[in-house]
Amino acid sequence: MPDMLKRLLRSPQGAAGVLIILLALLMVVGGAHVAPFDPESISILTRYKPPSAEHWFGTDQMGRDIFSRVLVGARSTILLSLLATALAMVIGSVLGTASAYLGGKFDEFMMRTMDAVMAIPSLLFALLIVSTLGQSSMNAVLAITIAFVPGMVRISRSVALAARQQDYINAAIARGEAGHYIILREMLPNILAPIIVEATIRVAFAIMLFATLSFLGLGAQPPEPEWGLMVSEARAYFFNAPWMMMIPGLAIALVAIGFNLLGDGLRDVLNPRSH
């Protein structure tokens, strides 16, 4: 693990990704504690204040401090995106590995089902789910999870097919091990590297998708300081106070880029040909 971290930090994209993600995680953990103002405190006298020494990122249409809202909003935006990606990774990797191991009709049914779901764009599919279930952050998480599962199934199945031919799997079958034991204890631990890389990159898409749902009013609901919702609320005031939209938009973009860079760095580190 220390060697892998050293190799990751030696690559420019890996080091940049780690730095951005560390800053984002610090915001998630300590944002609410270091925020200088209450993110939901309304002050009519301080509306539309530009960035200054008192309000680093300015204030919004209700006089709320944008710096405090960005710090506190990191928790919902990043954590919920991580949760959706983690759920999709767990479900998708188990289904994909089981499909590769069992083969036959189960594999055919699973892959054709995943192909049918993947034919629908992720955003459209998430919109359909949230519209059906109702507007809330957790419904948005569920929608993103379901939208991401097919891609994770295909990735995990592709690497599990190679693992299925290995001697240690044949030995486990010869010992009479149960199918669920072979899938969960023998195959999955040995194919985690490409799955983790894929999941890391998908966090970036989850952040943007979650922000998009909130922007459309289908994710986080006011007055929650969620970044996508902040951008949505600032649309009407862009020409009067452009910082209201630009700052949370930049936060979304920066964190998404950070996870993409981290995923690229991990891919290089975990690729045996690069050592």
Side-chain angles (χ1 to χ4, degrees):
M1 191 67 178
D3 291 340
M4 187 181 78
L5 183 60
K6 288 179 182 177
R7 291 198 302 270
L8 180 63
L9 293 176
R10 277 201 295 265
S11 67
Q13 66 267 38
V18 168
L19 177 61
I20 294 172
I21 300 310
L22 281 177
L23 290 174
L25 292 178
L26 285 174
M27 291 170 63
V28 170
V29 174
H33 301 290
V34 301
F37 297 92
D38 182 348
E40 297 180 11
S41 177
I42 297 174
S43 175
I44 302 301
L45 298 177
T46 58
R47 295 192 303 165
Y48 308 119
K49 294 289 185 182
S52 64
E54 183 180 5
H55 299 283
W56 290 5
F57 291 170
T59 61
D60 64 10
Q61 75 278 11
M62 295 185 181
R64 297 172 298 193
D65 182 63
I66 295 176
F67 179 63
S68 300
R69 289 178 64 78
V70 168
L71 286 176
V72 176
R75 180 173 296 177
S76 58
T77 302
I78 297 173
L79 279 186
L80 292 179
S81 300
L82 286 170
L83 174 62
T85 307
L87 289 173
M89 181 183 73
V90 171
I91 296 169
S93 59
V94 171
L95 290 178
T97 307
S99 183
Y101 173 73
L102 297 173
K105 293 183 178 179
F106 179 82
D107 182 43
E108 184 69 19
F109 171 77
M110 182 64 65
M111 288 302 101
R112 298 296 77 78
T113 302
M114 295 300 110
D115 288 343
V117 176
M118 290 183 71
I120 307 172
S122 297
L123 178 57
L124 178 59
F125 192 51
L127 285 172
L128 290 172
I129 295 171
V130 176
S131 300
T132 302
L133 298 177
Q135 304 170 356
S136 76
S137 294
M138 293 314 298
N139 285 344
V141 169
L142 179 61
I144 295 170
T145 299
I146 297 173
F148 280 4
V149 162
M152 297 305 300
V153 168
R154 295 198 69 86
I155 291 292
S156 57
R157 176 183 178 271
S158 65
V159 292
L161 283 173
R164 178 69 176 81
Q165 308 302 320
Q166 299 299 314
D167 290 339
Y168 67 89
I169 300 298
N170 295 326
I173 295 172
R175 293 197 308 268
E177 302 288 1
H180 69 272
Y181 177 89
I182 296 174
I183 293 168
L184 298 177
R185 301 294 297 274
E186 297 285 352
M187 296 180 71
L188 263 179
N190 288 285
I191 62 171
L192 274 181
I195 293 174
I196 290 173
V197 172
E198 176 69 15
T200 304
I201 295 174
R202 281 187 179 270
V203 174
F205 293 101
I207 288 171
M208 292 186 287
L209 192 51
F210 187 75
T212 302
L213 291 175
S214 296
F215 179 84
L216 296 173
L218 298 173
Q221 299 298 306
E224 187 176 348
E226 197 279 326
W227 293 349
L229 183 59
M230 289 173 66
V231 173
S232 177
E233 291 177 336
R235 282 181 300 170
Y237 312 99
F238 180 74
F239 293 104
N240 294 329
W243 58 85
M244 289 172 52
M245 179 182 286
M246 293 173 61
I247 289 172
L250 286 172
I252 294 169
L254 187 61
V255 175
I257 290 170
F259 276 105
N260 268 322
L261 290 173
L262 181 62
D264 289 342
L266 284 173
R267 182 184 57 200
D268 294 341
V269 168
L270 296 173
N271 183 5
R273 295 180 182 177
S274 64
H275 305 157

